[in-house]
PDB file of all heavy atoms in Angstrom:
ATOM      1  N   LYS B  64      58.060 -68.324  60.466  1.00 96.00           N
ATOM      2  CA  LYS B  64      56.869 -68.499  59.639  1.00 96.00           C
ATOM      3  C   LYS B  64      56.185 -69.847  59.840  1.00 96.00           C
ATOM      4  O   LYS B  64      55.046 -70.031  59.386  1.00 96.00           O
ATOM      5  CB  LYS B  64      57.228 -68.300  58.171  1.00 96.00           C
ATOM      6  CG  LYS B  64      57.747 -66.900  57.863  1.00 96.00           C
ATOM      7  CD  LYS B  64      58.074 -66.740  56.400  1.00 96.00           C
ATOM      8  CE  LYS B  64      58.743 -65.407  56.138  1.00 96.00           C
ATOM      9  NZ  LYS B  64      60.044 -65.254  56.813  1.00 96.00           N
ATOM     10  N   ASP B  65      56.863 -70.775  60.501  1.00 96.00           N
ATOM     11  CA  ASP B  65      56.204 -72.051  60.745  1.00 96.00           C
ATOM     12  C   ASP B  65      55.121 -71.925  61.813  1.00 96.00           C
ATOM     13  O   ASP B  65      54.211 -72.752  61.885  1.00 96.00           O
ATOM     14  CB  ASP B  65      57.225 -73.108  61.166  1.00 96.00           C
ATOM     15  CG  ASP B  65      58.011 -72.697  62.407  1.00 96.00           C
ATOM     16  OD1 ASP B  65      58.147 -71.475  62.664  1.00 96.00           O
ATOM     17  OD2 ASP B  65      58.497 -73.593  63.113  1.00 96.00           O
ATOM     18  N   ARG B  66      55.196 -70.843  62.610  1.00 98.00           N
ATOM     19  CA  ARG B  66      54.198 -70.711  63.679  1.00 98.00           C
ATOM     20  C   ARG B  66      53.598 -69.313  63.785  1.00 98.00           C
ATOM     21  O   ARG B  66      52.552 -69.135  64.382  1.00 98.00           O
ATOM     22  CB  ARG B  66      54.833 -71.078  65.022  1.00 98.00           C
ATOM     23  CG  ARG B  66      55.338 -72.496  65.093  1.00 98.00           C
ATOM     24  CD  ARG B  66      55.873 -72.853  66.467  1.00 98.00           C
ATOM     25  NE  ARG B  66      56.974 -71.996  66.881  1.00 98.00           N
ATOM     26  CZ  ARG B  66      56.893 -71.040  67.776  1.00 98.00           C
ATOM     27  NH1 ARG B  66      55.740 -70.792  68.363  1.00 98.00           N
ATOM     28  NH2 ARG B  66      57.961 -70.325  68.104  1.00 98.00           N
ATOM     29  N   PHE B  67      54.260 -68.324  63.245  1.00 98.00           N
ATOM     30  CA  PHE B  67      53.794 -66.945  63.323  1.00 98.00           C
ATOM     31  C   PHE B  67      53.238 -66.521  61.962  1.00 98.00           C
ATOM     32  O   PHE B  67      53.790 -66.861  60.914  1.00 98.00           O
ATOM     33  CB  PHE B  67      54.939 -65.997  63.680  1.00 98.00           C
ATOM     34  CG  PHE B  67      55.390 -66.043  65.114  1.00 98.00           C
ATOM     35  CD1 PHE B  67      55.955 -67.189  65.652  1.00 98.00           C
ATOM     36  CD2 PHE B  67      55.274 -64.925  65.921  1.00 98.00           C
ATOM     37  CE1 PHE B  67      56.388 -67.224  66.980  1.00 98.00           C
ATOM     38  CE2 PHE B  67      55.718 -64.944  67.245  1.00 98.00           C
ATOM     39  CZ  PHE B  67      56.273 -66.094  67.761  1.00 98.00           C
ATOM     40  N   SER B  68      52.157 -65.755  62.021  1.00 98.00           N
ATOM     41  CA  SER B  68      51.624 -65.154  60.799  1.00 98.00           C
ATOM     42  C   SER B  68      51.084 -63.773  61.146  1.00 98.00           C
ATOM     43  O   SER B  68      50.717 -63.516  62.292  1.00 98.00           O
ATOM     44  CB  SER B  68      50.531 -66.019  60.177  1.00 98.00           C
ATOM     45  OG  SER B  68      49.416 -66.097  61.048  1.00 98.00           O
ATOM     46  N   ALA B  69      51.075 -62.903  60.166  1.00 98.00           N
ATOM     47  CA  ALA B  69      50.557 -61.556  60.385  1.00 98.00           C
ATOM     48  C   ALA B  69      49.910 -61.066  59.108  1.00 98.00           C
ATOM     49  O   ALA B  69      50.291 -61.472  58.013  1.00 98.00           O
ATOM     50  CB  ALA B  69      51.667 -60.598  60.814  1.00 98.00           C
ATOM     51  N   GLU B  70      48.916 -60.218  59.283  1.00 96.00           N
ATOM     52  CA  GLU B  70      48.266 -59.640  58.114  1.00 96.00           C
ATOM     53  C   GLU B  70      47.825 -58.216  58.397  1.00 96.00           C
ATOM     54  O   GLU B  70      47.617 -57.827  59.555  1.00 96.00           O
ATOM     55  CB  GLU B  70      47.079 -60.485  57.671  1.00 96.00           C
ATOM     56  CG  GLU B  70      45.994 -60.661  58.715  1.00 96.00           C
ATOM     57  CD  GLU B  70      44.875 -61.576  58.231  1.00 96.00           C
ATOM     58  OE1 GLU B  70      45.078 -62.300  57.227  1.00 96.00           O
ATOM     59  OE2 GLU B  70      43.801 -61.557  58.834  1.00 96.00           O
ATOM     60  N   ARG B  71      47.692 -57.462  57.346  1.00 96.00           N
ATOM     61  CA  ARG B  71      47.208 -56.076  57.415  1.00 96.00           C
ATOM     62  C   ARG B  71      46.382 -55.862  56.156  1.00 96.00           C
ATOM     63  O   ARG B  71      46.766 -55.167  55.239  1.00 96.00           O
ATOM     64  CB  ARG B  71      48.382 -55.100  57.477  1.00 96.00           C
ATOM     65  CG  ARG B  71      47.987 -53.686  57.874  1.00 96.00           C
ATOM     66  CD  ARG B  71      49.155 -52.723  57.791  1.00 96.00           C
ATOM     67  NE  ARG B  71      48.760 -51.411  58.263  1.00 96.00           N
ATOM     68  CZ  ARG B  71      49.431 -50.298  58.005  1.00 96.00           C
ATOM     69  NH1 ARG B  71      50.545 -50.335  57.272  1.00 96.00           N
ATOM     70  NH2 ARG B  71      49.011 -49.131  58.472  1.00 96.00           N
ATOM     71  N   LEU B  72      45.238 -56.496  56.159  1.00 82.00           N
ATOM     72  CA  LEU B  72      44.477 -56.656  54.921  1.00 82.00           C
ATOM     73  C   LEU B  72      44.065 -55.337  54.262  1.00 82.00           C
ATOM     74  O   LEU B  72      44.191 -55.180  53.069  1.00 82.00           O
ATOM     75  CB  LEU B  72      43.247 -57.514  55.191  1.00 82.00           C
ATOM     76  CG  LEU B  72      43.545 -59.002  55.462  1.00 82.00           C
ATOM     77  CD1 LEU B  72      42.284 -59.753  55.824  1.00 82.00           C
ATOM     78  CD2 LEU B  72      44.235 -59.629  54.256  1.00 82.00           C
ATOM     79  N   LYS B  73      43.594 -54.390  55.010  1.00 88.00           N
ATOM     80  CA  LYS B  73      43.100 -53.153  54.399  1.00 88.00           C
ATOM     81  C   LYS B  73      44.079 -52.010  54.603  1.00 88.00           C
ATOM     82  O   LYS B  73      43.730 -50.847  54.424  1.00 88.00           O
ATOM     83  CB  LYS B  73      41.728 -52.794  54.962  1.00 88.00           C
ATOM     84  CG  LYS B  73      40.658 -53.827  54.621  1.00 88.00           C
ATOM     85  CD  LYS B  73      39.291 -53.403  55.114  1.00 88.00           C
ATOM     86  CE  LYS B  73      38.244 -54.440  54.736  1.00 88.00           C
ATOM     87  NZ  LYS B  73      36.890 -54.083  55.218  1.00 88.00           N
ATOM     88  N   GLY B  74      45.294 -52.353  54.985  1.00 86.00           N
ATOM     89  CA  GLY B  74      46.310 -51.330  55.159  1.00 86.00           C
ATOM     90  C   GLY B  74      46.131 -50.469  56.392  1.00 86.00           C
ATOM     91  O   GLY B  74      46.744 -49.402  56.487  1.00 86.00           O
ATOM     92  N   VAL B  75      45.300 -50.931  57.336  1.00 93.00           N
ATOM     93  CA  VAL B  75      45.109 -50.158  58.571  1.00 93.00           C
ATOM     94  C   VAL B  75      45.437 -51.067  59.758  1.00 93.00           C
ATOM     95  O   VAL B  75      46.587 -51.184  60.154  1.00 93.00           O
ATOM     96  CB  VAL B  75      43.683 -49.583  58.666  1.00 93.00           C
ATOM     97  CG1 VAL B  75      43.517 -48.772  59.944  1.00 93.00           C
ATOM     98  CG2 VAL B  75      43.383 -48.707  57.452  1.00 93.00           C
ATOM     99  N   ASP B  76      44.397 -51.740  60.297  1.00 96.00           N
ATOM    100  CA  ASP B  76      44.603 -52.634  61.430  1.00 96.00           C
ATOM    101  C   ASP B  76      45.447 -53.829  61.021  1.00 96.00           C
ATOM    102  O   ASP B  76      45.502 -54.223  59.851  1.00 96.00           O
ATOM    103  CB  ASP B  76      43.261 -53.161  61.946  1.00 96.00           C
ATOM    104  CG  ASP B  76      42.413 -52.072  62.570  1.00 96.00           C
ATOM    105  OD1 ASP B  76      42.832 -50.901  62.512  1.00 96.00           O
ATOM    106  OD2 ASP B  76      41.344 -52.394  63.101  1.00 96.00           O
ATOM    107  N   SER B  77      46.057 -54.438  62.048  1.00 98.00           N
ATOM    108  CA  SER B  77      46.868 -55.621  61.789  1.00 98.00           C
ATOM    109  C   SER B  77      46.645 -56.639  62.896  1.00 98.00           C
ATOM    110  O   SER B  77      46.331 -56.275  64.034  1.00 98.00           O
ATOM    111  CB  SER B  77      48.344 -55.248  61.720  1.00 98.00           C
ATOM    112  OG  SER B  77      49.161 -56.400  61.542  1.00 98.00           O
ATOM    113  N   THR B  78      46.795 -57.909  62.555  1.00 98.00           N
ATOM    114  CA  THR B  78      46.766 -58.967  63.549  1.00 98.00           C
ATOM    115  C   THR B  78      48.021 -59.814  63.425  1.00 98.00           C
ATOM    116  O   THR B  78      48.536 -60.033  62.320  1.00 98.00           O
ATOM    117  CB  THR B  78      45.536 -59.880  63.402  1.00 98.00           C
ATOM    118  OG1 THR B  78      45.514 -60.389  62.065  1.00 98.00           O
ATOM    119  CG2 THR B  78      44.262 -59.132  63.695  1.00 98.00           C
ATOM    120  N   LEU B  79      48.514 -60.264  64.545  1.00 98.00           N
ATOM    121  CA  LEU B  79      49.656 -61.171  64.618  1.00 98.00           C
ATOM    122  C   LEU B  79      49.172 -62.436  65.309  1.00 98.00           C
ATOM    123  O   LEU B  79      48.541 -62.348  66.367  1.00 98.00           O
ATOM    124  CB  LEU B  79      50.799 -60.536  65.405  1.00 98.00           C
ATOM    125  CG  LEU B  79      52.036 -61.399  65.670  1.00 98.00           C
ATOM    126  CD1 LEU B  79      52.812 -61.641  64.380  1.00 98.00           C
ATOM    127  CD2 LEU B  79      52.948 -60.745  66.707  1.00 98.00           C
ATOM    128  N   LYS B  80      49.442 -63.572  64.715  1.00 98.00           N
ATOM    129  CA  LYS B  80      48.980 -64.835  65.285  1.00 98.00           C
ATOM    130  C   LYS B  80      50.146 -65.774  65.537  1.00 98.00           C
ATOM    131  O   LYS B  80      51.109 -65.802  64.751  1.00 98.00           O
ATOM    132  CB  LYS B  80      47.979 -65.513  64.333  1.00 98.00           C
ATOM    133  CG  LYS B  80      46.703 -64.738  64.127  1.00 98.00           C
ATOM    134  CD  LYS B  80      45.769 -65.455  63.155  1.00 98.00           C
ATOM    135  CE  LYS B  80      44.514 -64.639  62.915  1.00 98.00           C
ATOM    136  NZ  LYS B  80      43.618 -65.280  61.915  1.00 98.00           N
ATOM    137  N   ILE B  81      50.017 -66.537  66.599  1.00 98.00           N
ATOM    138  CA  ILE B  81      50.996 -67.576  66.904  1.00 98.00           C
ATOM    139  C   ILE B  81      50.218 -68.889  67.043  1.00 98.00           C
ATOM    140  O   ILE B  81      49.258 -68.972  67.794  1.00 98.00           O
ATOM    141  CB  ILE B  81      51.747 -67.303  68.224  1.00 98.00           C
ATOM    142  CG1 ILE B  81      52.367 -65.907  68.226  1.00 98.00           C
ATOM    143  CG2 ILE B  81      52.838 -68.352  68.427  1.00 98.00           C
ATOM    144  CD1 ILE B  81      53.033 -65.532  69.547  1.00 98.00           C
ATOM    145  N   GLN B  82      50.640 -69.874  66.272  1.00 97.00           N
ATOM    146  CA  GLN B  82      49.963 -71.168  66.319  1.00 97.00           C
ATOM    147  C   GLN B  82      50.904 -72.256  65.814  1.00 97.00           C
ATOM    148  O   GLN B  82      51.270 -72.235  64.634  1.00 97.00           O
ATOM    149  CB  GLN B  82      48.700 -71.118  65.458  1.00 97.00           C
ATOM    150  CG  GLN B  82      47.907 -72.408  65.428  1.00 97.00           C
ATOM    151  CD  GLN B  82      46.664 -72.308  64.565  1.00 97.00           C
ATOM    152  OE1 GLN B  82      46.455 -71.348  63.833  1.00 97.00           O
ATOM    153  NE2 GLN B  82      45.825 -73.321  64.630  1.00 97.00           N
ATOM    154  N   PRO B  83      51.317 -73.188  66.641  1.00 97.00           N
ATOM    155  CA  PRO B  83      51.080 -73.302  68.081  1.00 97.00           C
ATOM    156  C   PRO B  83      52.153 -72.560  68.869  1.00 97.00           C
ATOM    157  O   PRO B  83      53.280 -72.398  68.410  1.00 97.00           O
ATOM    158  CB  PRO B  83      51.212 -74.812  68.306  1.00 97.00           C
ATOM    159  CG  PRO B  83      52.263 -75.224  67.315  1.00 97.00           C
ATOM    160  CD  PRO B  83      52.067 -74.323  66.103  1.00 97.00           C
ATOM    161  N   ALA B  84      51.789 -72.105  70.043  1.00 97.00           N
ATOM    162  CA  ALA B  84      52.738 -71.347  70.863  1.00 97.00           C
ATOM    163  C   ALA B  84      53.723 -72.284  71.563  1.00 97.00           C
ATOM    164  O   ALA B  84      53.391 -73.431  71.906  1.00 97.00           O
ATOM    165  CB  ALA B  84      51.978 -70.527  71.906  1.00 97.00           C
ATOM    166  N   LYS B  85      54.928 -71.759  71.765  1.00 97.00           N
ATOM    167  CA  LYS B  85      55.959 -72.458  72.522  1.00 97.00           C
ATOM    168  C   LYS B  85      56.302 -71.631  73.750  1.00 97.00           C
ATOM    169  O   LYS B  85      56.038 -70.426  73.801  1.00 97.00           O
ATOM    170  CB  LYS B  85      57.209 -72.645  71.673  1.00 97.00           C
ATOM    171  CG  LYS B  85      57.053 -73.603  70.498  1.00 97.00           C
ATOM    172  CD  LYS B  85      58.398 -73.806  69.821  1.00 97.00           C
ATOM    173  CE  LYS B  85      58.289 -74.857  68.710  1.00 97.00           C
ATOM    174  NZ  LYS B  85      59.605 -75.091  68.049  1.00 97.00           N
TER     175      LYS B  85
END
Side-chain angles (χ1 to χ4, degrees):
Chain B
K64 298 181 187 63
D65 57 334
R66 299 184 301 106
F67 286 64
S68 64
E70 59 183 16
R71 194 186 184 198
L72 289 176
K73 296 184 179 179
V75 181
D76 293 5
S77 177
T78 55
L79 175 70
K80 296 179 182 177
I81 307 175
Q82 180 180 10
K85 292 186 175 181

